[in-house]
Amino acid sequence: MGPEGAPSSYVDGFILAAPSNGKEAFTDFANTFDAIFMEYGAARIIEAWGDDVTHGKQTDFFRAVQAKDDENVAFSWVEWPDKAARDAGTKKVMEDPRMDPSNKDNPPMPFDGQRMVYGGFTPVVELRG
């Protein structure tokens, strides 16, 4: 635990749009590349496929990533032990040739990475059952 009982971990969060019929391709891609994040220090990774995601009147996940009518949203996060581990691990991930999209041996991204929304977050509350 961090200061005043706050969690000491660090979280990278992602929202993206993928073809609605592309769940298997998304899952295969995630299984391949998430292993690299784990190799470089990630503690836990969750890849979640939209199942009960509503279209809002003003904002929603679909609008956030400019999802098209034939696309679904995915919500993912990577948990790291702390921000220093995340910074070091992410640097190594980005330098790893297995992550290079121009490498013809790598599978193509099954989503439009330019519409992906992502960011790093410092947890402030963590409850466990």
Side-chain angles (χ1 to χ4, degrees):
M1 288 295 204
E4 299 179 25
S8 60
S9 61
Y10 196 79
V11 177
D12 283 324
F14 306 86
I15 305 168
L16 57 91
S20 295
N21 64 359
K23 182 179 179 183
E24 184 176 346
F26 173 78
T27 302
D28 290 346
F29 182 86
N31 278 318
T32 298
F33 291 100
D34 288 353
I36 299 169
F37 281 82
M38 295 297 291
E39 182 180 325
Y40 291 121
R44 180 177 181 222
I45 300 174
I46 300 290
E47 301 281 1
W49 188 257
D51 177 57
D52 186 14
V53 183
T54 59
H55 289 271
K57 292 183 180 180
Q58 251 184 329
T59 62
D60 59 37
F61 283 106
F62 296 98
R63 286 187 185 116
V65 293
Q66 300 173 354
K68 299 172 184 153
D69 290 341
D70 62 346
E71 291 180 322
N72 193 12
V73 293
F75 177 58
S76 307
W77 65 93
V78 179
E79 295 177 15
W80 299 91
D82 53 40
K83 188 170 189 300
R86 179 268 202 159
D87 290 347
T90 299
K91 183 178 187 304
K92 290 176 184 174
V93 166
M94 293 300 123
E95 293 171 348
D96 192 304
R98 295 173 292 174
M99 293 295 294
D100 185 352
S102 68
N103 182 341
K104 64 179 179 8
D105 294 329
N106 288 343
M109 283 196 318
F111 56 88
D112 181 356
Q114 292 184 357
R115 292 185 286 139
M116 179 173 59
V117 177
Y118 60 92
F121 299 85
T122 301
V124 294
V125 174
E126 178 178 335
L127 304 175
R128 291 182 184 246

mmCIF file with all atom_site columns, all heavy atoms in Angstrom, residues 53-57 59-60 62-63:
data_model
loop_
_atom_site.group_PDB
_atom_site.id
_atom_site.type_symbol
_atom_site.label_atom_id
_atom_site.label_alt_id
_atom_site.label_comp_id
_atom_site.label_asym_id
_atom_site.label_entity_id
_atom_site.label_seq_id
_atom_site.pdbx_PDB_ins_code
_atom_site.Cartn_x
_atom_site.Cartn_y
_atom_site.Cartn_z
_atom_site.occupancy
_atom_site.B_iso_or_equiv
_atom_site.pdbx_formal_charge
_atom_site.auth_seq_id
_atom_site.auth_comp_id
_atom_site.auth_asym_id
_atom_site.auth_atom_id
_atom_site.pdbx_PDB_model_num
ATOM 1  N N   . VAL A 1 53 ? -22.491 -2.916 -23.355 1.00 0.00 ? 53 VAL A N   1
ATOM 2  C CA  . VAL A 1 53 ? -22.007 -1.539 -23.472 1.00 0.00 ? 53 VAL A CA  1
ATOM 3  C C   . VAL A 1 53 ? -23.107 -0.715 -24.149 1.00 0.00 ? 53 VAL A C   1
ATOM 4  O O   . VAL A 1 53 ? -23.464 -0.980 -25.289 1.00 0.00 ? 53 VAL A O   1
ATOM 5  C CB  . VAL A 1 53 ? -20.700 -1.471 -24.294 1.00 0.00 ? 53 VAL A CB  1
ATOM 6  C CG1 . VAL A 1 53 ? -20.169 -0.046 -24.343 1.00 0.00 ? 53 VAL A CG1 1
ATOM 7  C CG2 . VAL A 1 53 ? -19.661 -2.424 -23.728 1.00 0.00 ? 53 VAL A CG2 1
ATOM 8  N N   . THR A 1 54 ? -23.623 0.256  -23.434 1.00 0.00 ? 54 THR A N   1
ATOM 9  C CA  . THR A 1 54 ? -24.739 1.033  -23.965 1.00 0.00 ? 54 THR A CA  1
ATOM 10 C C   . THR A 1 54 ? -24.248 2.217  -24.798 1.00 0.00 ? 54 THR A C   1
ATOM 11 O O   . THR A 1 54 ? -23.139 2.717  -24.608 1.00 0.00 ? 54 THR A O   1
ATOM 12 C CB  . THR A 1 54 ? -25.634 1.561  -22.825 1.00 0.00 ? 54 THR A CB  1
ATOM 13 O OG1 . THR A 1 54 ? -24.834 2.363  -21.967 1.00 0.00 ? 54 THR A OG1 1
ATOM 14 C CG2 . THR A 1 54 ? -26.241 0.420  -22.035 1.00 0.00 ? 54 THR A CG2 1
ATOM 15 N N   . HIS A 1 55 ? -25.090 2.624  -25.703 1.00 0.00 ? 55 HIS A N   1
ATOM 16 C CA  . HIS A 1 55 ? -24.861 3.847  -26.471 1.00 0.00 ? 55 HIS A CA  1
ATOM 17 C C   . HIS A 1 55 ? -25.508 4.983  -25.681 1.00 0.00 ? 55 HIS A C   1
ATOM 18 O O   . HIS A 1 55 ? -26.718 4.981  -25.447 1.00 0.00 ? 55 HIS A O   1
ATOM 19 C CB  . HIS A 1 55 ? -25.486 3.745  -27.866 1.00 0.00 ? 55 HIS A CB  1
ATOM 20 C CG  . HIS A 1 55 ? -24.752 2.801  -28.761 1.00 0.00 ? 55 HIS A CG  1
ATOM 21 N ND1 . HIS A 1 55 ? -23.709 3.193  -29.558 1.00 0.00 ? 55 HIS A ND1 1
ATOM 22 C CD2 . HIS A 1 55 ? -24.899 1.480  -28.962 1.00 0.00 ? 55 HIS A CD2 1
ATOM 23 C CE1 . HIS A 1 55 ? -23.245 2.155  -30.223 1.00 0.00 ? 55 HIS A CE1 1
ATOM 24 N NE2 . HIS A 1 55 ? -23.951 1.093  -29.883 1.00 0.00 ? 55 HIS A NE2 1
ATOM 25 N N   . GLY A 1 56 ? -24.692 5.934  -25.254 1.00 0.00 ? 56 GLY A N   1
ATOM 26 C CA  . GLY A 1 56 ? -25.192 7.042  -24.453 1.00 0.00 ? 56 GLY A CA  1
ATOM 27 C C   . GLY A 1 56 ? -25.802 8.138  -25.307 1.00 0.00 ? 56 GLY A C   1
ATOM 28 O O   . GLY A 1 56 ? -25.719 8.132  -26.539 1.00 0.00 ? 56 GLY A O   1
ATOM 29 N N   . LYS A 1 57 ? -26.398 9.099  -24.640 1.00 0.00 ? 57 LYS A N   1
ATOM 30 C CA  . LYS A 1 57 ? -26.993 10.245 -25.340 1.00 0.00 ? 57 LYS A CA  1
ATOM 31 C C   . LYS A 1 57 ? -25.954 11.318 -25.611 1.00 0.00 ? 57 LYS A C   1
ATOM 32 O O   . LYS A 1 57 ? -26.077 12.065 -26.563 1.00 0.00 ? 57 LYS A O   1
ATOM 33 C CB  . LYS A 1 57 ? -28.149 10.805 -24.526 1.00 0.00 ? 57 LYS A CB  1
ATOM 34 C CG  . LYS A 1 57 ? -29.322 9.854  -24.453 1.00 0.00 ? 57 LYS A CG  1
ATOM 35 C CD  . LYS A 1 57 ? -30.491 10.448 -23.715 1.00 0.00 ? 57 LYS A CD  1
ATOM 36 C CE  . LYS A 1 57 ? -31.613 9.415  -23.702 1.00 0.00 ? 57 LYS A CE  1
ATOM 37 N NZ  . LYS A 1 57 ? -32.785 9.886  -23.012 1.00 0.00 ? 57 LYS A NZ  1
ATOM 38 N N   . THR A 1 59 ? -22.168 10.874 -24.274 1.00 0.00 ? 59 THR A N   1
ATOM 39 C CA  . THR A 1 59 ? -20.859 10.235 -24.357 1.00 0.00 ? 59 THR A CA  1
ATOM 40 C C   . THR A 1 59 ? -21.017 8.740  -24.132 1.00 0.00 ? 59 THR A C   1
ATOM 41 O O   . THR A 1 59 ? -21.987 8.286  -23.533 1.00 0.00 ? 59 THR A O   1
ATOM 42 C CB  . THR A 1 59 ? -19.888 10.782 -23.290 1.00 0.00 ? 59 THR A CB  1
ATOM 43 O OG1 . THR A 1 59 ? -20.410 10.493 -21.999 1.00 0.00 ? 59 THR A OG1 1
ATOM 44 C CG2 . THR A 1 59 ? -19.658 12.272 -23.457 1.00 0.00 ? 59 THR A CG2 1
ATOM 45 N N   . ASP A 1 60 ? -20.077 7.982  -24.638 1.00 0.00 ? 60 ASP A N   1
ATOM 46 C CA  . ASP A 1 60 ? -20.035 6.547  -24.399 1.00 0.00 ? 60 ASP A CA  1
ATOM 47 C C   . ASP A 1 60 ? -18.715 5.995  -24.920 1.00 0.00 ? 60 ASP A C   1
ATOM 48 O O   . ASP A 1 60 ? -17.917 6.720  -25.524 1.00 0.00 ? 60 ASP A O   1
ATOM 49 C CB  . ASP A 1 60 ? -21.239 5.826  -25.011 1.00 0.00 ? 60 ASP A CB  1
ATOM 50 C CG  . ASP A 1 60 ? -21.368 5.997  -26.514 1.00 0.00 ? 60 ASP A CG  1
ATOM 51 O OD1 . ASP A 1 60 ? -20.329 6.018  -27.215 1.00 0.00 ? 60 ASP A OD1 1
ATOM 52 O OD2 . ASP A 1 60 ? -22.496 6.087  -27.011 1.00 0.00 ? 60 ASP A OD2 1
ATOM 53 N N   . PHE A 1 62 ? -18.275 3.887  -27.349 1.00 0.00 ? 62 PHE A N   1
ATOM 54 C CA  . PHE A 1 62 ? -18.259 3.855  -28.813 1.00 0.00 ? 62 PHE A CA  1
ATOM 55 C C   . PHE A 1 62 ? -17.807 5.189  -29.397 1.00 0.00 ? 62 PHE A C   1
ATOM 56 O O   . PHE A 1 62 ? -16.994 5.230  -30.319 1.00 0.00 ? 62 PHE A O   1
ATOM 57 C CB  . PHE A 1 62 ? -19.650 3.490  -29.353 1.00 0.00 ? 62 PHE A CB  1
ATOM 58 C CG  . PHE A 1 62 ? -20.091 2.106  -28.979 1.00 0.00 ? 62 PHE A CG  1
ATOM 59 C CD1 . PHE A 1 62 ? -20.943 1.894  -27.896 1.00 0.00 ? 62 PHE A CD1 1
ATOM 60 C CD2 . PHE A 1 62 ? -19.652 1.006  -29.696 1.00 0.00 ? 62 PHE A CD2 1
ATOM 61 C CE1 . PHE A 1 62 ? -21.346 0.611  -27.549 1.00 0.00 ? 62 PHE A CE1 1
ATOM 62 C CE2 . PHE A 1 62 ? -20.051 -0.278 -29.356 1.00 0.00 ? 62 PHE A CE2 1
ATOM 63 C CZ  . PHE A 1 62 ? -20.899 -0.475 -28.270 1.00 0.00 ? 62 PHE A CZ  1
ATOM 64 N N   . ARG A 1 63 ? -18.337 6.284  -28.861 1.00 0.00 ? 63 ARG A N   1
ATOM 65 C CA  . ARG A 1 63 ? -17.937 7.608  -29.344 1.00 0.00 ? 63 ARG A CA  1
ATOM 66 C C   . ARG A 1 63 ? -16.483 7.912  -29.019 1.00 0.00 ? 63 ARG A C   1
ATOM 67 O O   . ARG A 1 63 ? -15.783 8.568  -29.789 1.00 0.00 ? 63 ARG A O   1
ATOM 68 C CB  . ARG A 1 63 ? -18.829 8.682  -28.728 1.00 0.00 ? 63 ARG A CB  1
ATOM 69 C CG  . ARG A 1 63 ? -20.206 8.725  -29.318 1.00 0.00 ? 63 ARG A CG  1
ATOM 70 C CD  . ARG A 1 63 ? -20.969 9.927  -28.767 1.00 0.00 ? 63 ARG A CD  1
ATOM 71 N NE  . ARG A 1 63 ? -22.327 9.902  -29.235 1.00 0.00 ? 63 ARG A NE  1
ATOM 72 C CZ  . ARG A 1 63 ? -23.382 9.759  -28.445 1.00 0.00 ? 63 ARG A CZ  1
ATOM 73 N NH1 . ARG A 1 63 ? -23.235 9.650  -27.138 1.00 0.00 ? 63 ARG A NH1 1
ATOM 74 N NH2 . ARG A 1 63 ? -24.591 9.733  -28.942 1.00 0.00 ? 63 ARG A NH2 1
#
